[in-house]
Amino acid sequence: MIRDQETLNILLDTVSRFVRERLVPNESRVAETDHIPDEIVAEMRELGLFGLSIPEEHGGMGLTMEEEVLATFEIGHTSPTFRSLFATNNGIGGQGIVIDGTPEQKAHWLPKLVTGEVIGSFALTEPDSGSDAASLRTSAIRDGEHYVLNGTKRYITNAPEAGVFTVMARTDPAKKGADGISAFIVERGTPGLSLGPPDEKMGHKGSHTCDVIFEDCRVPAANLIGGREGVGFKTAMKVLDKGRINIAAISVGVAERMLADALRYACERKQFGKPIAEFQLIQAMLADSKAEIYAARSMVVDAARRRDEGRDVGTEAACAKMFASEMCGRVADRAVQIFGGAGYLAEYGIERFYRDVRLFRIFEGTTQIQQLVIARNMIRGFNG
């Protein structure tokens, strides 16, 4: 739902120019140093990127879902590492508070997330519970005006930089499934909270993950999101529905960037006396990529519009995330193939994108989990 097309156009033009002039030239630097330059982070804050989808009453831009995915398409035209830093504030790191937080929780944390003063992080996955998130073991036992948390979270994006964590923990040990899970806001520096060493990853240099460890970590009862026990898993699923649309959108944006690079290379690279873009087998790869990107983009916009209408988009979000992330992987593979030997060299950057986008098919629910979500929703609908 686009509220003001003129204002949106200004935002999209500003983001596009920032991506082109500031982020793209720094891609190699970030990959080599595993660090986003401080001056770039400061510029992200000034542009308001940390608060794109946080409500205006808390200082954010309050973008609708449709407006947000259009901005994400533009942000996707550079390394996805840059987005990872501020996207958690807009997405999984902040949306639990936006969607289900108490007025006091919103008033305290959302303005800090908007400015980027605080980086948010979402702690759901554990060593023994990933796709089966409802089986998580981290416990939160009530003790007076506090909860005592114990457990370990794994692969937590932005954990090394995070100032606040949205943590899913089991408050009712008697309930083994989703009903016993609650959501908490845990501030960095809380006694009993510690971090593991940063993970060494295949890609996404500059975006960091690590374990988050709770050992008798005392969290004020006032930090129970929504003030209610047993609804944390529902909060997490609502957060993930929105997150899946965003991952689908970034998949589209990055695929557009890779296709643009591949097209440019194909038009400039000559073999047998002419540009390789004139060879039909190269054209087939370009055409297949264009068509799939168009299909994914249309799915993402449709899912976003449905969410803006207040409809349940569990199925559509899963469809968009599954198709767009798989599409992005295919486009990456074709792009490397079009570049040929050059595509295997770090010099051209396409091998970095090839590694980076592999993650899209895993986080926020693997492709296989999306298939299960889609099929189960279909069966549930059939059975009434």
Side-chain angles (χ1 to χ4, degrees):
M1 185 186 304
I2 296 173
R3 300 164 301 174
D4 184 333
Q5 188 66 58
E6 183 178 354
T7 301
L8 178 62
N9 288 342
I10 293 171
L11 172 64
L12 296 180
D13 287 344
T14 300
V15 171
S16 178
R17 185 168 61 253
F18 178 63
V19 166
R20 211 170 45 245
E21 297 177 359
R22 298 294 293 136
L23 302 188
V24 172
N26 279 284
E27 289 172 349
S28 296
R29 178 183 175 189
V30 170
E32 291 167 4
T33 63
D34 195 23
H35 174 74
I36 299 175
D38 293 342
E39 65 270 21
I40 295 293
V41 177
E43 291 176 47
M44 289 177 176
R45 289 180 174 134
E46 290 173 13
L47 285 174
L49 297 183
F50 285 89
L52 289 174
S53 65
I54 295 177
E56 292 176 279
E57 59 263 35
H58 298 291
M61 293 189 190
L63 298 187
T64 66
M65 191 76 247
E66 182 177 358
E67 292 167 342
E68 187 177 352
V69 299
L70 293 175
T72 301
F73 292 154
E74 297 298 327
I75 292 162
H77 294 166
T78 186
S79 167
T81 290
F82 293 110
R83 172 192 169 274
S84 290
L85 184 63
F86 61 80
T88 52
N89 282 27
N90 292 295
I92 56 177
Q95 284 301 311
I97 301 172
V98 170
I99 295 170
D100 285 336
T102 64
E104 294 78 15
Q105 290 166 351
K106 293 178 181 180
H108 180 75
W109 288 109
L110 294 183
K112 296 180 180 181
L113 291 169
V114 165
T115 62
E117 172 191 346
V118 168
I119 302 297
S121 191
F122 183 71
L124 173 62
T125 300
E126 297 182 0
D128 294 319
S129 67
S131 294
D132 183 15
S135 69
L136 64 84
R137 296 180 182 178
T138 295
S139 63
I141 305 302
R142 184 71 182 253
D143 181 20
E145 292 303 309
H146 289 78
Y147 284 86
V148 181
L149 272 62
N150 281 283
T152 298
K153 299 296 184 177
R154 180 147 293 172
Y155 312 133
I156 306 306
T157 301
N158 284 348
E161 292 83 17
V164 64
F165 300 84
T166 299
V167 182
M168 301 297 152
R170 191 169 300 282
T171 45
D172 189 343
K175 295 181 180 179
K176 301 302 181 185
D179 290 344
I181 297 171
S182 303
F184 295 88
I185 300 168
V186 184
E187 191 171 358
R188 188 186 191 93
T190 301
L193 184 156
S194 62
L195 304 177
D199 298 318
E200 292 291 334
K201 306 188 304 298
M202 174 192 291
H204 284 257
K205 296 296 183 182
S207 174
H208 306 126
T209 66
C210 72
D211 285 1
V212 181
I213 304 155
F214 302 94
E215 298 174 299
D216 293 330
C217 180
R218 295 181 65 82
V219 177
N223 287 20
L224 175 66
I225 291 182
R228 293 174 55 203
E229 290 188 3
V231 296
F233 195 77
K234 293 178 181 177
T235 296
M237 292 305 101
K238 286 184 279 188
V239 168
L240 287 174
D241 274 349
K242 185 176 191 296
R244 286 166 179 168
I245 296 175
N246 270 318
I247 296 303
I250 194 67
S251 296
V252 170
V254 177
E256 290 175 342
R257 162 66 187 278
M258 292 188 294
L259 180 57
D261 287 354
L263 176 62
R264 182 182 306 107
Y265 185 83
C267 289
E268 294 173 354
R269 171 69 168 166
K270 292 184 178 180
Q271 288 290 285
F272 304 101
K274 58 184 178 181
I276 63 172
E278 294 186 20
F279 299 132
Q280 290 182 335
L281 293 179
I282 297 293
Q283 291 175 358
M285 289 190 281
L286 293 170
D288 284 351
S289 297
K290 180 67 174 180
E292 289 190 51
I293 290 171
Y294 176 52
R297 189 181 180 104
S298 299
M299 289 176 70
V300 172
V301 171
D302 179 71
R305 287 174 177 168
R306 288 170 182 260
R307 187 179 185 278
D308 283 338
E309 293 168 0
R311 297 160 70 174
D312 181 352
V313 293
T315 298
E316 289 77 12
C319 286
K321 198 273 182 182
M322 178 182 73
F323 183 82
S325 62
E326 291 286 339
M327 171 279 296
C328 191
R330 290 190 292 272
V331 171
D333 189 73
R334 293 185 195 118
V336 171
Q337 197 71 9
I338 290 170
F339 272 80
Y344 205 71
L345 301 181
E347 175 185 353
Y348 288 86
I350 200 68
E351 62 83 30
R352 184 184 67 247
F353 279 107
Y354 182 83
R355 288 182 287 109
D356 285 348
V357 304
R358 186 61 184 85
L359 182 60
F360 294 162
R361 289 183 270 169
I362 297 174
F363 68 175
E364 311 253 359
T366 64
T367 292
Q368 289 66 40
I369 288 298
Q370 307 312 320
Q371 291 171 321
L372 293 177
V373 169
I374 295 162
R376 287 172 180 171
N377 287 350
M378 291 170 65
I379 294 166
R380 191 179 299 116
F382 177 80
N383 291 328

